[in-house]
């Protein structure tokens, strides 16, 4: 390639004398070596002229090329930028001036090339001269003589020396060769006209080339791929070389035409866009000069200025907004900081700093709203009305943060919306479940890309007032990881002594949250961190009674689902006697979410019948209800009728409300061992071992034979083994189950109990009294045993909740034994217990004398 530079991989081999070895017998004078360089004179028989041609040596230095292909009759400059390259050229010039240039197959090869790494055909060149470059390097100018084939590599070190053989070319003759020659000239002329980067001397040299082989070699100057150039060099048949060069030239012409077409399309689009841009800018300037249009930047600044005045910002916020607006005026629109400042100012001026909604202090209307939206929940409603009464007497009173705690489906979230409606305030709710990033509460700092304020300020902006009702839903499900602890960030938000100066990381200016009414909901209070729980007033919302569920379904659930399913009261109505089996036999939960699904199922069945041309059942009967809903899911009466020794009914608390569970114990021959099953936790397992220790210590009092107990193994089991169970409140139930199994006595199935048992027989108070009593009532039980320490809590229960249930309060296990199995065998130091009804009828009876302790 004319004008291309290249360099060898590393030092080509040479002998120590500095000259290439022409053969093993070079030192002798018998003429065994190859021909020496000289002049050969040949006679042209056709013209009678003499052709003078250099005689080439058959052994010479090899100069490998990486990305360049040499051709005869063309000048080839070589860049000598390494000592090895300079040594090859210097030794070749000193020896005979010939150098064999050949292409290396792998241009990225790092190792010294071998014979297999070099192409077979190269060009024998003569070194014209060496030049010194301005940067201190050197280059050598060579001229291509003839094609040659690499025959054998004689030496590889220190310079590469090889034996070469001249390639005999097959001349092109005939009309086909002449036609190929003219077509190739035509294609090259088109290339010269289309390709602007080609030198003007290219067209001049093209017109003066008359030899077909030289014209084909000349085509290599426009071929882009190095392997295609090597194919031209290796082709000895000049006619085939012309055909190959024509293919390359035509392909290059087509590719160049496509390039020009694409460039023209892109140029037209760019020119049109640029023209439109200039016209729009000129039009803007003309309109601005005529006063018909203002600069968008000026309009944006004016909008922000007006919003600042309208927002009535506090002093600190107004000062910050003024500083940022000044920065915005001096920041170019193209700068990335311009958008950051503008977004910050948008948030700053759109927050409701001074926008408040007046509170509706009409307590009668608030009570009606709460009663219309929710049935029951009298304690919660009274607390809300108390809060409104205080705000009516003292409008600036911040009040306390209320947290509604209870099982799912009891209406905690909807109660917050009703409170906002009763107070006449805006309402905003966001869920904290699964939140792990502190920035979700207090915002991201402005240094981060895409930073935003926290959810608190986002809620205020969405509500449009600075005194809305903000409901923090599922506050017990907050998480924490390496990004921070959101519960710690809420400490400032939910503290009335601190939230008047709440500072979001994004705004970095104080915002007054004291006017906001915060509400929170939770299922399990124990999962809320103690500092956060201490800042809230807990209002427990237990489960509903059966009668309450019937009223909720009749007043709220059924009308809502009828409307959603396109039905009316003529298509479906349910009488109270039918509601009770629906609630009791198809649902068992503390809330009404499952009941709502049952009502949906009824409405879907009726809607299908109406859509198919029916009229609907109208007033639903018991038989129609069973036909639509299928067999009942819960049938508690079947189990309660079975009385078995060692089976006792206990009361448990769950996050979904209270529940009745069975405690089962059996005895078998063994060695006095104890086996526990039913997924019991550590505390419940300890209660079982404690109960057995107590019974062994007081065996004579309960008629137990210690000798016989030593030969028996006890097995305690709690059904529903897949559910984890733990806690100390099943202590007295476990002890009764052991006694029933050992004494072969049956416990009454209308009685359930709960209470923690100590090793000396005391019965300690437990939690979840309301849920457990409610579970017993829904289960159809008539008697409940509670610890005496829970008597005050039980007396606060609604009369309708304890209606039909006889509650017995005990503080010793002997009292439990008498209620379950009858009188104890031995003398007891504890008088027999009285029920709550017996205590009320006793009135002011004189206290009995204390019995002597045994």
């Amino acid at each position: 390639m004319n004008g291309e530079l290249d360099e060898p991989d590393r030092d080509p081999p040479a002998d120590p004398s500095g000259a290439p070895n022409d053969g093993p017998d070079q030192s002798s004078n018998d003429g065994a070596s190859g021909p020496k360089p000289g002049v050969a004179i040949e006679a042209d028989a056709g013209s009678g002229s003499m052709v003078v041609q250099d005689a080439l040596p058959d052994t010479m230095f090899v100069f490998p090329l990486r990305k360049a292909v040499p051709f005869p009759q063309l000048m080839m400059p070589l860049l000598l930028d390494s000592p090895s390259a300079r040594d090859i050229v210097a030794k070749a010039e000193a020896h005979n001036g010939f150098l064999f240039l050949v292409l290396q197959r792998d241009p990225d090869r790092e190792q010294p090339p071998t014979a297999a790494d070099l192409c077979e055909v190269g060009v024998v060149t003569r070194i014209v001269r060496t030049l010194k470059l301005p940067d201190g390097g050197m280059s050598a100018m060579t001229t291509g003589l003839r094609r040659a084939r690499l025959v054998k590599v004689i030496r590889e070190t220190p310079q590469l020396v090889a034996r070469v053989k001249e390639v005999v070319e097959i001349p092109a003759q005939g009309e086909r060769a002449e036609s190929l020659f003219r077509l190739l000239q035509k294609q090259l002329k088109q290339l010269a006209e289309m390709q602007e980067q080609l030198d003007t001397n290219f067209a001049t040299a093209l017109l003066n080339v008359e030899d077909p082989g030289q014209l084909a070699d000349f085509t290599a100057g426009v071929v882009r791929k190095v392997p295609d150039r090597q194919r031209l060099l290796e082709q000895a048949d000049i006619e085939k070389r012309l055909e190959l060069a024509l293919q390359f030239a035509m392909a290059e012409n087509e590719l160049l035409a496509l390039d020009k077409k694409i460039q023209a399309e892109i140029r037209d689009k760019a020119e049109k866009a640029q023209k439109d841009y200039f016209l729009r800018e000129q039009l803007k300037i003309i309109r601005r000069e005529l006063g018909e249009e203002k600069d968008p930047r000026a309009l944006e600044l004016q909008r922000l200025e007006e919003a600042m005045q309208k927002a009535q910002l506090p002093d600190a916020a107004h000062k910050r907004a003024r500083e940022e607006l000044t920065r915005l005026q001096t920041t170019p629109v193209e700068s990335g900081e311009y958008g950051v400042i503008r977004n910050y100012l948008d948030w700053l001026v759109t927050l409701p700093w001074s926008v408040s909604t007046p509170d509706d202090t009409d307590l009668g209307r608030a009570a009606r709203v709460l009663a219309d939206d929710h049935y029951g929940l009298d304690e919660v409603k009274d607390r809300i009305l108390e809060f409104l009464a205080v705000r009516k007497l003292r409008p600036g009173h911040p009040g306390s943060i209320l947290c509604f705690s209870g099982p799912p489906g009891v209406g905690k979230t909807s109660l917050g919306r009703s409170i906002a409606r009763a107070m006449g305030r805006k309402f905003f709710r966001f869920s904290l479940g699964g939140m792990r990033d502190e920035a979700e509460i207090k915002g991201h700092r402005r240094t981060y890309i895409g930073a935003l304020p926290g959810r608190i300020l986002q809620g205020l902006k969405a509500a449009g007032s600075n005194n809305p009702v903000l409901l923090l839903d599922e506050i017990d499900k907050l998480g924490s990881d390496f990004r921070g602890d959101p519960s710690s960030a809420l400490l400032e938000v939910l503290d009335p002594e601190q939230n008047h100066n709440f500072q979001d990381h994004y705004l970095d200016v104080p915002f007054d949250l004291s006017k906001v009414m915060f509400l929170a909901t939770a299922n399990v209070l124990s999962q809320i961190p103690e500092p956060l729980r201490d800042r809230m007033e807990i209002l427990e919302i237990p489960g509903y009674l059966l009668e309450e569920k019937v009223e909720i379904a009749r007043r709220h659930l059924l009308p809502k689902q009828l409307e959603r399913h396109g039905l009316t009261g003529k298509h479906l109505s349910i009488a109270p006697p039918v509601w009770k089996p629906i609630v009791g036999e198809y649902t068992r939960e503390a809330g009404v979410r499952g009941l709502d699904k049952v009502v949906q199922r009824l409405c879907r069945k009726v809607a299908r019948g109406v859509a198919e041309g029916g009229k609907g059942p109208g007033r639903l009967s018991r038989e129609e209800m069973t036909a639509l809903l299928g067999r009942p899911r819960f049938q508690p009466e079947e189990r309660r009728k079975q009385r078995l020794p060692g089976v006792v009914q206990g009361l448990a608390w769950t996050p979904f409300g209270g529940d009745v569970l069975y405690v089962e114990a059996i005895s078998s021959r063994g060695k006095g061992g104890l086996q526990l099953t039913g997924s019991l936790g550590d505390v419940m397992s300890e209660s079982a071992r404690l109960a057995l220790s107590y019974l062994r210590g007081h065996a004579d009092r309960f008629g137990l034979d210690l000798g016989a107990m030593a030969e028996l193994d006890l097995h305690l089991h709690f059904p529903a083994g897949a559910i984890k169970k733990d806690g100390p409140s099943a202590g007295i139930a476990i002890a009764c189950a052991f006694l029933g199994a050992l004494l072969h006595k049956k416990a009454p199935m209308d009685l359930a109990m709960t209470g923690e048992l100590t090793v000396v027989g005391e019965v300690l108070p437990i939690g979840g009294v309301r849920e457990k009593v409610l579970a017993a009532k829904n289960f159809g039980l008539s008697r409940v045993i509670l610890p005496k320490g829970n008597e005050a809590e039980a007396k606060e229960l609604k009369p309708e909740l304890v209606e039909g249930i006889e509650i017995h309060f005990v503080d010793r296990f002997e009292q439990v034994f008498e209620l379950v199995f009858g009188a104890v065998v031995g003398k007891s130091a504890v008088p027999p217990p009285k029920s709550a009804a017996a205590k009320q009828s006793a009135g002011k009876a004189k206290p009995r004398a204390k019995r002597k302790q045994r």
Side-chain angles (χ1 to χ4, degrees):
M1 286 296 294
N2 189 14
E4 261 189 78
L5 304 180
D6 211 314
E7 64 178 50
D9 285 351
R10 57 177 292 180
D11 299 350
D15 59 10
S17 63
N21 189 353
D22 290 333
D25 301 324
Q26 185 180 3
S27 58
S28 63
N29 296 325
D30 56 2
S33 63
K36 304 294 181 182
V39 178
I41 302 176
E42 299 180 0
D44 190 343
S47 60
S49 61
M50 306 299 292
V51 178
V52 181
Q53 188 176 18
D54 290 340
L56 299 179
D58 61 353
T59 304
M60 61 187 66
F61 287 94
V62 179
F63 197 101
L65 303 175
R66 290 181 181 271
K67 298 180 181 179
V69 180
F71 282 90
Q73 311 302 323
L74 296 178
M75 299 296 294
M76 184 71 180
L78 302 177
L79 180 62
L80 309 178
D81 59 350
S82 65
S84 60
R86 289 192 289 268
D87 289 346
I88 292 176
V89 174
K91 292 180 179 181
E93 191 175 16
H95 182 246
N96 52 20
F98 290 100
L99 193 63
F100 183 64
L101 304 184
V102 63
L103 178 66
Q104 182 177 327
R105 296 183 189 276
D106 186 5
D108 300 325
R109 178 181 171 84
E110 299 294 338
Q111 301 297 326
T114 61
D117 300 327
L118 302 177
C119 294
E120 295 182 1
V121 180
V123 173
V124 176
T125 62
R126 180 186 293 277
I127 301 174
V128 179
R129 59 177 175 173
T130 57
L131 302 173
K132 292 183 179 181
L133 301 179
D135 58 357
M138 295 184 63
S139 68
M141 187 63 65
T142 63
T143 179
L145 299 179
R146 287 187 290 278
R147 286 174 170 81
R149 187 178 304 277
L150 179 65
V151 177
K152 181 181 180 182
V153 175
I154 298 176
R155 290 194 178 182
E156 296 183 354
T157 58
Q159 282 86 23
L160 191 63
V161 178
R163 179 176 287 115
V164 299
K165 182 180 180 181
E166 182 180 352
V167 176
V168 179
E169 297 183 349
I170 302 175
Q173 297 178 353
E175 296 179 355
R176 175 178 172 80
E178 184 66 24
S179 176
L180 290 172
F181 181 79
R182 289 198 302 269
L183 289 174
L184 182 58
Q185 275 188 328
K186 182 179 178 181
Q187 292 292 330
L188 292 177
K189 288 179 182 177
Q190 291 180 5
L191 276 173
E193 295 172 357
M194 296 174 62
Q195 202 164 358
E196 299 175 355
Q197 62 267 28
L198 288 179
D199 197 331
T200 54
N201 296 329
F202 180 83
T204 303
L206 183 63
L207 295 174
N208 294 291
V209 177
E210 298 179 354
D211 181 70
Q214 187 176 359
L215 182 64
D217 293 344
F218 194 75
T219 309
V222 296
V223 178
R224 303 187 183 189
K225 298 182 179 179
V226 174
D228 292 342
R229 301 176 194 168
Q230 182 65 26
R231 289 176 59 190
L232 280 176
L233 179 65
E234 293 177 356
Q235 185 56 255
D237 191 333
I238 296 179
E239 183 175 341
K240 294 182 179 180
R241 192 190 306 165
L242 283 171
E243 186 175 354
L244 187 61
L246 181 61
Q247 293 178 9
F248 293 152
M250 292 175 67
E252 190 66 27
N253 267 331
E254 293 177 0
L255 187 60
L256 191 59
L258 181 60
D259 290 347
K260 285 188 171 295
K261 180 181 178 182
I262 295 175
Q263 291 178 2
E265 292 177 357
I266 295 176
R267 187 184 303 110
D268 293 343
K269 291 180 181 179
E271 290 177 354
K272 184 179 183 303
Q274 191 174 15
K275 179 180 178 181
D276 294 345
Y277 172 76
F278 283 121
L279 289 176
R280 289 193 188 97
E281 291 298 320
Q282 291 176 1
L283 187 60
K284 288 181 182 179
I285 294 174
I286 293 173
R287 288 180 176 176
R288 198 176 301 129
E289 292 294 332
L290 295 175
E292 298 178 358
E293 181 181 347
K294 293 185 178 180
D295 182 35
R297 179 187 176 93
L299 290 176
E300 182 73 12
L301 295 174
Q302 181 180 355
R303 181 186 69 82
L304 292 173
E305 182 73 31
E306 293 175 356
M308 285 175 55
Q309 301 299 329
K310 184 179 179 181
Q312 300 180 9
L313 304 176
D315 294 339
H318 188 272
K319 180 180 179 182
R320 176 62 63 85
R322 182 59 61 186
E323 293 174 356
E324 295 296 329
L325 186 62
T326 304
R327 287 184 57 199
L328 189 66
Q329 293 172 350
T330 58
T331 303
V333 180
E334 297 80 8
S335 174
E337 190 68 18
Y338 182 85
V340 175
I341 300 174
R342 186 186 61 187
N343 291 339
Y344 177 79
L345 284 173
D346 281 336
W347 274 102
L348 202 61
V349 301
T350 53
L351 284 175
W353 298 90
S354 57
V355 180
S356 300
T357 55
D359 287 344
D360 189 348
T361 57
D362 186 353
L363 299 182
R365 177 186 176 278
R368 288 192 299 271
V369 169
L370 294 175
D372 291 342
D373 292 346
H374 292 82
Y375 181 82
L377 305 179
D378 295 335
E379 181 183 355
V380 179
K381 294 177 182 178
D382 291 341
R383 180 63 185 85
I384 300 304
L385 295 177
E386 292 170 3
F387 176 83
L388 294 178
V390 173
R391 292 299 295 261
K392 182 177 182 179
L393 299 177
R394 187 179 179 184
H397 181 67
S400 58
I401 288 87
L402 302 181
C403 177
F404 303 136
S405 171
V410 296
K412 300 184 296 296
T413 304
S414 60
L415 185 62
R417 187 175 288 106
S418 299
I419 292 173
R421 192 161 73 92
M423 297 177 63
R425 293 190 178 191
K426 300 294 183 64
F427 178 76
F428 182 80
R429 167 199 167 272
F430 67 92
S431 177
L432 300 176
M435 187 178 293
R436 295 178 176 272
D437 193 354
E438 175 195 358
E440 292 286 342
I441 303 297
K442 302 195 68 173
H444 301 79
R445 301 194 183 275
R446 292 172 57 192
T447 54
Y448 296 102
I449 297 176
L452 287 173
R455 299 294 296 274
I456 302 297
L457 294 188
Q458 291 183 31
L460 293 177
K461 181 181 178 182
S465 67
N466 61 5
N467 63 338
V469 175
L470 286 186
L471 179 65
L472 310 178
D473 211 3
E474 309 292 351
I475 197 172
D476 58 329
K477 297 175 178 59
L478 281 172
S480 62
D481 58 10
F482 64 93
R483 288 169 290 188
D485 186 4
S487 62
S488 300
L490 284 175
L491 295 178
E492 179 185 1
V493 176
L494 300 182
D495 192 347
E497 301 297 330
Q498 301 181 37
N499 60 13
H500 66 279
N501 199 26
F502 173 73
Q503 193 157 342
D504 187 272
H505 289 160
Y506 181 80
L507 291 185
D508 203 22
V509 291
F511 194 97
D512 186 8
L513 298 179
S514 61
K515 300 179 181 179
V516 179
M517 182 177 184
F518 288 100
L519 302 176
T521 67
N523 296 128
V524 184
L525 290 176
S526 59
Q527 296 180 1
I528 304 176
E530 185 64 31
L532 185 59
R533 186 168 52 189
D534 184 62
R535 283 167 166 76
M536 301 183 293
E537 180 180 351
I538 307 299
L539 294 181
E540 295 189 5
I541 304 178
Y544 296 105
L545 298 172
L546 186 143
E547 292 77 9
E548 292 176 335
K549 290 183 179 180
V550 170
E551 287 299 319
I552 292 173
R554 187 179 64 84
R555 297 184 184 185
H556 301 283
L557 301 184
L558 183 60
K560 179 181 67 175
Q561 296 302 332
L562 287 177
E563 181 182 358
R564 289 184 178 181
H565 290 79
L567 302 174
T568 62
K570 296 180 180 180
H571 298 122
L572 177 64
S573 62
I574 304 175
V578 182
W579 272 119
K580 290 186 177 181
I582 290 178
V583 176
E585 298 178 5
Y586 292 91
T587 65
R588 181 163 296 176
E589 57 178 347
V592 293
R593 193 166 291 163
L595 180 59
D596 190 29
K597 295 177 182 178
V598 174
V599 176
Q600 291 181 31
R601 185 179 175 188
L602 276 174
C603 292
R604 288 195 302 268
K605 298 282 187 180
V606 174
R608 178 181 176 182
V610 173
E612 292 175 351
K615 297 181 180 180
R619 194 170 184 84
L620 193 68
S621 65
R622 176 68 182 267
E623 291 74 16
E624 291 173 329
M625 180 268 294
T626 306
L628 292 175
L629 295 180
R631 62 179 182 84
R633 294 181 56 194
F634 304 101
Q635 296 178 348
E637 293 295 330
E638 293 183 2
R639 181 64 184 271
R640 290 198 298 122
K641 293 178 180 179
Q642 300 176 4
R643 296 184 60 190
L644 297 174
V647 178
V648 179
Q649 294 175 140
L651 297 175
W653 178 92
T654 69
F656 309 101
D659 195 8
V660 176
L661 67 141
Y662 289 94
V663 184
E664 302 173 349
I666 61 172
S667 61
S668 60
R669 292 187 178 275
K671 299 181 180 180
L674 175 63
Q675 184 178 0
L676 306 175
T677 57
S679 299
L680 307 185
D682 294 338
V683 178
M684 187 170 283
S685 301
E686 291 177 357
S687 297
R689 289 190 289 269
L690 185 148
L692 185 57
S693 298
Y694 169 74
L695 294 179
R696 286 173 176 169
H698 302 80
D700 56 344
R701 181 171 299 179
F702 302 110
L704 299 175
D705 186 358
L706 289 178
M709 289 179 63
E711 298 177 358
L712 294 176
D713 286 344
L714 289 176
H715 185 168
L716 179 69
H717 177 69
F718 283 75
I723 302 175
K724 299 285 185 181
K725 308 171 188 68
D726 204 358
S729 63
I732 62 175
I734 294 173
C736 289
F738 285 155
L739 285 172
L742 294 172
L743 299 176
H744 300 284
K745 289 188 176 183
K746 300 177 182 179
M749 301 308 294
D750 65 338
L751 173 68
M753 64 193 73
T754 178
E756 179 181 356
L757 179 64
T758 67
V759 76
V760 296
E762 294 182 353
V763 181
L764 301 182
I766 44 82
V769 173
R770 188 185 190 279
E771 288 82 358
K772 293 179 179 180
V773 174
L774 177 60
K777 182 176 178 62
N778 292 337
F779 205 70
L781 304 180
S782 59
R783 293 186 295 164
V784 172
I785 298 177
L786 294 178
K788 191 168 182 64
N790 296 108
E791 185 175 4
E793 185 177 356
K795 288 182 177 180
E796 294 179 357
L797 299 177
K798 297 179 181 179
E800 59 268 22
L801 178 61
V802 297
E803 182 181 359
I805 296 181
E806 185 179 3
I807 302 178
H808 302 274
F809 300 100
V810 298
D811 55 4
R812 295 287 303 178
F813 182 74
E814 289 86 345
Q815 298 170 305
V816 179
F817 184 87
E818 293 181 10
L819 290 171
V820 177
F821 299 110
V824 295
V825 177
K827 293 182 179 181
S828 174
V830 182
K834 290 185 178 181
S835 65
K839 289 184 179 181
Q840 292 178 359
S841 62
K844 299 181 179 180
K846 296 182 179 179
R848 296 180 180 179
K850 295 184 179 179
R851 294 181 181 180
K852 294 183 179 180
Q853 294 186 359
R854 185 177 177 180

